[in-house]
Amino acid sequence: MDTSPPSRHIVKAACPHDCPDTCALDISVEDGRAVAVRGGDMPFTAGTLCTKVARYLDRTYAPSRILYPMKRTGPKGEGRFKRISWDEALDTIAARFTAIAAGDPQQILPVSYAGTMGLVNFAGMDRRFFHRLGATLLERTLCSSAGKAGVKITLGGSVGSDPEQVQDANLILIWGSNPVTSNLHFWSRCQQAKRRGAKLVIIDPRRNETAEKCDWHLAPLPGTDAALALAMMHVIIGEGLTDAGYIARHTLGFDELEKRVREWTPQRAAAICGIKAADIITLAREYAATRKAMIRINYGLQRHAGGGMAVRSIACLPALTGAWREPSGGVLLMTSDFYGMNHRALERPDLLRGKPRTINIAALGDALTTADPPVKAAYVYNNNPVAVCPDSRKVISGFMRDDLFTVVHEIFQTDTADYADILLPATTQLEHFDIHKSYGHLYVQASQPAIAPLGEAKPNAEVFRLLAARMGFDEPCFRDSDEDLCRQALHSDAPALKGITWEILKENGWARLDVPAAPFANGGFPTPSGKCEFWSETAQALGLDPLPDYTPPRENAASNPQLAQRYPLAFISPPHRHFLNSSFANLDFALKDAGVPTLEIHPDDANVRGIVEDAEVRVFNGRGEYHLRARITDRVRPGVVSAPSVWWKKLSPDGRNANELTSQAIADMGGAATYYDCLVEVACTKRSHRTEPDGTGQPDCMPP
Ligand SMILES: Nc1nc2c(c(=O)[nH]1)N[C@H]1C(S)=C(S)[C@@H](COP(=O)(O)OP(=O)(O)OC[C@H]3O[C@@H](n4cnc5c(=O)[nH]c(N)nc54)[C@H](O)[C@@H]3O)O[C@H]1N2
Ligand SMILES: Nc1nc2c(c(=O)[nH]1)N[C@H]1C(S)=C(S)[C@@H](COP(=O)(O)OP(=O)(O)OC[C@H]3O[C@@H](n4cnc5c(=O)[nH]c(N)nc54)[C@H](O)[C@@H]3O)O[C@H]1N2
Ligand SMILES: [Mo]
């Protein structure tokens, strides 16, 4: 009998989820089983995790994981499957793809997003495979591409302030962002700043979890932030609060900008934003008076028709006031372009045959139902499109097509998996190698497998290697191992990566990029001019206004009064604190913490509709409808309703979720989805009386 104590060791990994914090993880392993997950010693993580990822073992060892390849036995959408072998699964896929590709490979569509953000399994062997196949190219635009395009115009790329400096700021503007929910480790640094006396201002149509803890909350109407930023510039320039030296040396187009913002009086912006002109003036003066002022933009404000312009306009502010001179000044949307990793080596665009068409995932529903040539096969991985893509009724009718061959590679049997012809089991982060950059800090990380794959689960990269071999793709790059891919990501002469090797990362878990604390104190923006570009030739070449301006939402009272008459409320569906997009939204602990799906509605809007607390309401527009429990609260401003998301449809009381209502229309830049540009009406659905425990009746709906 072996009486030796179980051997316990720590494996260094990284959180794979789509979140700016990309945490370092320490996985404790005992006898081949992971027994604990803790925050690693990477400075941004500093040993703490969010409540979801602290329970990552519940995800890895969930009884509901898919562990074997399966094929569908019932009708599409019903979710009945039967176990098959990997050989049968791969042979089936290779045969179907080969037959379809013989006609036109563009009839095959990869459908992926950010289920994992490790580069090996996010954008490596998969891209090689689809490039070589000649499949349709997918434009991945569900989240950030409008904002990304906006900062690229003004700053030259996805670069900005170092989030590890924010604790020294004296003023922090949290703009379209909810760090308590979605950027926790940035928030802990904001709290340090607050304890030191810094002022925290939040700009958000909803008094979100973060706003509760800020000093000042401004609540503009959704999609109107560019007007607010332009009016701030009006005040800053008009009152001479600028840093003339910084402007002269490090910016382009100041005279043109001055002329443009002259039209943007605080009164004009106030009418658009639905806030007070006096507040805009105060905000502009306080911002300009504080050199150590950091603006944290996040994605909430760019999920609108004018999302690109909004981010572009806000990104001009620190160059006007010279806040870039301070490490704790400037503006941050994302840090991704500081890395300079070798994405070409990973994705191998040189393998492309011909010039395949591009399909935008923001309009997946239209693509699956009307594209010409039609999509005959869809390969879904890292993505739950039935739950997360806009206008789900169309997405579902696409996946319902009998003549569509659908492969889904997943950890769980999601809403999308139910439509698969072939369902493949995926590994979780504890079971594979990967390399991680981040969009919210400046560290590179190695993620190493802590345990063997559960059941017959395989990583994304491995499945594409096996498929490539079956399809006769004999280029050597299809035989690269996962660690080869990690090394190739670092094959780069980017100065920020100097001295960082895969071996060092494996040993330490992480390494910081070589980026100075105040990256643009002396200019050096990665724009064509090297300056912060108020006036942009790049924008002009894209057919856009060379100067910042306000692009109104597609769906609001000013831009579409007829629509607003039928559907008068602006509907937003921001991330739920207990979920990560639709990930975790199937695990018992997260569902228990989240409770029932709710709609937050202001008392004024509830009263005129006869809606009382806890009533069941129908939220609807021309695209669809679903039912929610009403929460009557002044958290949302009048005219705005909010439904924290993204719930799995099949785990929601009425089998539907927020994306029944959202639109496939795209933003002004980056082909981006416009989830929060969405008008709805709300009605109380039940006039019945529910019985309370004390026997009294509580009407669900009151006469308005
Ligand atoms: N717990 C948790 N964390 C997450 C996620 C999650 O689902 N749950 N998702 C992850 C992902 S993929 C992303 S992209 C990030 C998202 O992180 P954020 O960008 O912070 O999330 P959002 O809720 O989209 O936007 C934040 C805020 O924007 C507000 N907002 C909506 N429209 C507007 C507007 O027009 N103007 C302004 N000023 N504000 C507006 C919303 O009310 C919300 O409070 O979080 C990541 N982290
Ligand atoms: N209404 C509304 N809709 C939204 C949003 C919103 O705010 N409101 N937010 C949008 C945003 S910001 C985003 S980023 C998108 C997110 O959309 P997605 O990127 O689709 O994110 P998830 O919903 O988390 O689904 C990812 C899936 O990938 C799977 N997965 C994880 N790791 C792996 C792996 O290694 N291999 C494979 N094969 N699968 C894996 C997970 O199990 C999960 O089911 O949703 C968007 N949808
Ligand atoms: Mo996202």
Side-chain angles (χ1 to χ4, degrees):
M1 196 173 83
D2 180 8
T3 53
S4 59
S7 70
R8 190 168 180 144
H9 65 282
I10 305 275
V11 175
K12 294 202 167 291
C15 176
H17 288 293
D18 186 352
C19 169
D21 292 31
T22 315
C23 289
L25 306 180
D26 281 352
I27 316 296
S28 303
V29 183
E30 228 171 70
D31 290 337
R33 191 175 166 87
V35 293
V37 174
R38 297 210 173 77
D41 62 356
M42 187 268 276
F44 199 70
T45 308
T48 58
L49 297 176
C50 70
T51 50
K52 302 175 296 300
V53 175
R55 316 250 334 226
Y56 198 80
L57 295 183
D58 286 32
R59 189 168 165 83
T60 293
Y61 291 116
S64 54
R65 267 190 68 175
I66 302 171
L67 294 176
Y68 309 99
M70 293 190 277
K71 72 176 177 196
R72 188 166 51 81
T73 55
K76 290 194 178 195
E78 219 177 78
R80 279 191 285 131
F81 292 92
K82 155 175 170 243
R83 182 173 172 181
I84 56 174
S85 67
W86 267 106
D87 276 335
E88 181 181 346
L90 294 168
D91 286 342
T92 309
I93 299 166
R96 286 298 284 268
F97 280 13
T98 304
I100 294 169
D104 180 353
Q106 295 180 101
Q107 298 174 120
I108 300 168
L109 179 70
V111 181
S112 81
Y113 213 70
T116 172
M117 299 212 65
L119 294 177
V120 171
N121 291 297
F122 168 69
M125 201 55 81
D126 57 323
R127 303 294 205 271
R128 294 178 182 182
F129 176 82
F130 290 114
H131 287 158
R132 170 68 177 74
L133 180 61
T136 290
L137 298 170
L138 184 71
E139 230 186 318
R140 293 173 175 83
T141 53
L142 296 182
C143 176
S144 58
S145 54
K148 213 180 206 167
V151 281
K152 191 170 169 69
I153 289 172
T154 306
L155 306 179
S158 293
V159 292
S161 320
D162 179 351
E164 269 186 285
Q165 302 291 335
V166 72
Q167 62 277 4
D168 296 328
N170 292 328
L171 176 65
I172 305 171
L173 257 60
I174 298 173
W175 203 329
S177 168
N178 185 8
V180 167
T181 286
S182 54
N183 196 183
L184 198 61
H185 298 79
F186 182 78
W187 175 246
S188 54
R189 288 178 163 73
C190 292
Q191 282 177 307
Q192 283 178 41
K194 193 167 184 234
R195 282 196 289 272
R196 265 192 33 254
K199 182 165 181 177
L200 271 54
V201 181
I202 183 159
I203 303 170
D204 198 300
R206 171 176 182 251
R207 192 173 74 242
N208 63 26
E209 292 83 347
T210 310
E212 297 283 359
K213 301 190 165 81
C214 288
D215 299 290
W216 188 20
H217 172 213
L218 270 162
L221 282 164
T224 63
D225 301 86
L228 173 56
L230 291 159
M232 284 175 71
M233 294 194 257
H234 174 99
V235 175
I236 292 168
I237 298 175
E239 297 187 2
L241 307 176
T242 52
D243 179 335
Y246 194 91
I247 291 172
R249 272 191 295 281
H250 306 307
T251 73
L252 185 75
F254 177 74
D255 294 343
E256 291 88 343
L257 180 72
E258 178 176 25
K259 224 175 285 157
R260 171 61 54 88
V261 302
R262 224 176 274 156
E263 309 156 16
W264 280 100
T265 60
Q267 290 70 23
R268 180 178 172 200
I272 289 171
C273 301
I275 58 179
K276 292 194 201 106
D279 284 343
I280 301 178
I281 296 169
T282 305
L283 180 65
R285 288 181 184 157
E286 286 189 15
Y287 177 71
T290 318
R291 196 46 93 54
K292 294 184 175 180
M294 193 183 286
I295 304 177
R296 180 60 162 122
I297 319 175
N298 222 315
Y299 302 118
L301 67 78
Q302 50 95 68
R303 307 192 197 288
H304 298 277
M309 269 299 194
V311 170
R312 178 183 173 190
S313 306
I314 296 167
C316 294
L317 286 163
L320 284 180
T321 63
W324 284 119
R325 294 184 194 270
E326 296 289 341
S328 59
V331 55
L332 174 65
L333 176 67
M334 53 208 298
T335 54
S336 334
D337 286 350
F338 277 124
Y339 283 79
M341 280 193 178
N342 196 340
H343 296 283
R344 284 187 74 82
L346 286 173
E347 302 178 16
R348 296 292 303 270
D350 55 296
L351 293 168
L352 272 170
R353 301 265 162 116
K355 216 171 170 263
R357 70 171 164 192
T358 297
I359 281 180
N360 187 340
I361 192 169
L364 182 66
D366 283 348
L368 292 179
T369 48
T370 62
D372 181 21
V375 176
K376 290 192 177 160
Y379 186 118
V380 185
Y381 59 106
N382 289 344
N383 187 207
N384 183 9
V386 167
V388 306
C389 283
D391 203 352
S392 346
R393 286 211 303 199
K394 289 214 175 121
V395 177
I396 290 173
S397 62
F399 280 116
M400 278 299 284
R401 274 173 42 208
D402 274 332
D403 59 342
L404 177 72
F405 173 67
T406 302
V407 179
V408 177
H409 187 199
E410 249 300 346
I411 297 169
F412 294 106
Q413 193 174 330
T414 58
D415 288 335
T416 309
D418 287 347
Y419 295 86
D421 293 284
I422 300 285
L423 183 52
L424 304 173
T427 40
T428 68
Q429 187 77 345
L430 302 195
E431 300 152 70
H432 56 237
F433 273 108
D434 223 316
I435 184 165
H436 288 257
K437 47 197 255 191
S438 161
Y439 55 89
H441 60 64
L442 295 170
Y443 294 86
V444 195
Q445 297 178 81
S447 195
Q448 301 181 72
I451 58 171
L454 265 59
E456 294 182 1
K458 291 186 193 296
N460 298 348
E462 175 64 8
V463 179
F464 288 109
R465 264 190 295 266
L466 293 168
L467 278 175
R470 278 212 170 40
M471 296 196 52
F473 298 170
D474 51 15
E475 290 80 356
C477 70
F478 290 109
R479 293 188 292 277
D480 287 344
S481 70
D482 292 348
E483 289 199 74
D484 291 337
L485 286 157
C486 295
R487 288 193 186 89
Q488 289 160 12
L490 297 168
H491 275 172
S492 157
D493 46 21
L497 285 173
K498 196 162 183 249
I500 301 179
T501 65
W502 178 239
E503 275 57 43
I504 290 176
L505 290 179
K506 276 208 293 184
E507 178 68 28
N508 296 341
W510 53 270
R512 195 188 137 103
L513 294 179
D514 187 5
V515 172
F520 306 116
N522 300 305
F525 293 92
T527 52
S529 64
K531 298 180 175 194
C532 173
E533 297 194 348
F534 302 138
W535 190 94
S536 161
E537 207 174 291
T538 311
Q540 204 172 36
L542 291 168
L544 301 167
D545 194 329
L547 286 168
D549 202 0
Y550 167 61
T551 306
R554 193 170 285 104
E555 301 193 2
N556 84 354
S559 44
N560 194 340
Q562 266 176 325
L563 188 73
Q565 214 162 25
R566 280 160 64 197
Y567 308 116
L569 300 168
F571 174 80
I572 58 173
S573 49
H576 199 296
R577 185 171 187 175
H578 298 296
F579 303 155
L580 201 129
N581 303 319
S582 78
S583 292
F584 294 92
N586 61 319
L587 298 183
D588 288 343
F589 79 87
L591 286 167
K592 195 164 146 274
D593 289 345
V596 295
T598 56
L599 183 79
E600 297 170 338
I601 183 166
H602 190 274
D604 295 352
D605 292 323
N607 287 341
V608 295
R609 291 170 177 81
I611 296 167
V612 296
E613 179 72 3
D614 272 335
E616 187 189 296
V617 292
R618 182 168 82 94
V619 191
F620 60 101
N621 62 18
R623 290 177 287 268
E625 64 168 62
Y626 80 128
H627 294 83
L628 289 163
R629 191 80 66 81
R631 283 281 167 272
I632 299 179
T633 168
D634 64 1
R635 241 177 204 294
V636 282
R637 53 165 295 155
V640 177
V641 289
S642 171
S645 292
V646 180
W647 293 76
W648 282 26
K649 289 177 192 280
K650 64 179 166 185
L651 300 181
S652 302
D654 79 343
R656 289 176 281 191
N657 74 8
N659 286 318
E660 305 283 329
L661 305 172
T662 53
S663 121
Q664 297 183 70
I666 57 173
D668 54 346
M669 297 179 200
T674 53
Y675 290 101
Y676 305 164
D677 195 331
C678 178
L679 284 175
V680 300
E681 180 53 294
V682 180
C684 201
T685 48
K686 276 200 226 151
R687 280 191 182 274
S688 64
H689 288 246
R690 282 178 297 128
T691 307
E692 299 294 307
D694 66 0
T696 58
Q698 159 87 37
D700 264 333
C701 304
M702 302 287 282

